[in-house]
Amino acid sequence: MLQNSIIMVFIILIINIVYVSFFTIRMILTLKGYRYIAAFVSMIEIIIYVVGLGLVLDNLNHIQNIIAYAVGYGIGVIVGMKLEEKLALGYITVNVITKEYDKDLPKQLRASGYGVTSWAANGLEGDRMALQILTPRKYELKLYQKIKELDPKAFIIAYEPKTIYGGFWVKSVKKGKLKHE
């Protein structure tokens, strides 16, 4: 009897981890506009959800099942977030303000494969260089590392663009010609 109880707790825990991971991925896919993939993932997600919830509801008199469901949900959130980080869907735009105006920062970043637009800017303490850099999210951390390597005092702001149209760089990414060191 105890062995069956432990197996049930384990099954509920695993089912909920998988369910919430699918839920997180589906939400990300939906937000990124991958509607058909999101719809397919949601079909799998709901089957897992119904099975897991059914197991808990059929055994509500066992508190360990409810606890396993709740713990599985929490772990599933973490697992889903880790999966999303690994998938790194979409692009990120990074705005950089650098004091090192004389440095050829844009040229060095372009040589590493990043799309860079730069312009002269004025800050509280004088002339600056402003850069706007577009990169796939999977290269985001490498970009930050490269910027800090070239200018440790650079001011960096990043955000995810919702829509991107045109430009030579986007065409290069779609053709798989982007190189990153």
Side-chain angles (χ1 to χ4, degrees):
M1 179 84 168
L2 181 62
Q3 186 178 7
N4 287 342
S5 181
I6 292 171
I7 292 171
M8 180 63 79
V9 165
F10 182 73
I11 290 170
I12 291 170
L13 181 75
I14 296 303
I15 284 174
N16 227 22
I17 290 170
V18 173
Y19 156 67
V20 177
S21 297
F22 269 83
F23 173 82
T24 304
I25 297 304
R26 188 219 354 122
M27 288 300 296
I28 300 299
L29 291 169
T30 301
L31 293 170
K32 301 271 186 197
Y34 296 95
R35 62 178 63 121
Y36 298 110
I37 299 170
F40 178 74
V41 169
S42 71
M43 290 186 310
I44 297 168
E45 171 196 341
I46 202 66
I47 290 168
I48 295 167
Y49 172 74
V50 168
V51 170
L53 188 60
L55 288 173
V56 173
L57 292 176
D58 286 346
N59 297 287
L60 273 178
N61 55 334
H62 301 285
I63 189 72
Q64 67 269 21
N65 294 343
I66 298 168
I67 292 169
Y69 190 84
V71 170
Y73 199 97
I75 294 172
V77 169
I78 294 167
V79 170
M81 290 171 70
K82 292 290 184 185
L83 285 171
E84 192 279 331
E85 285 174 13
K86 296 290 183 200
L87 288 173
L89 299 171
Y91 296 91
I92 187 143
T93 299
V94 179
N95 289 336
V96 179
I97 308 295
T98 179
K99 210 177 208 181
E100 306 296 326
Y101 191 82
D102 58 327
K103 250 185 176 179
D104 202 358
L105 194 63
K107 186 177 178 182
Q108 292 178 50
L109 290 169
R110 286 184 194 113
S112 294
Y114 297 101
V116 181
T117 301
S118 61
W119 61 92
N122 285 315
L124 179 65
E125 297 175 359
D127 292 339
R128 302 285 185 264
M129 179 181 288
L131 304 133
Q132 188 169 56
I133 306 160
L134 180 66
T135 188
R137 279 195 53 230
K138 63 184 173 183
Y139 299 128
E140 180 180 2
L141 296 178
K142 287 181 183 179
L143 174 58
Y144 297 153
Q145 186 177 12
K146 184 76 172 175
I147 292 167
K148 289 176 186 175
E149 187 180 294
L150 296 170
D151 183 2
K153 295 181 180 178
F155 177 69
I156 302 169
I157 301 172
Y159 58 92
E160 285 189 59
K162 182 170 171 57
T163 307
I164 302 172
Y165 289 110
F168 75 92
W169 185 84
V170 174
K171 291 175 189 170
S172 296
V173 169
K174 289 182 178 176
K175 291 179 184 174
K177 294 180 180 177
L178 188 64
K179 63 172 183 166
H180 281 277
E181 300 172 349

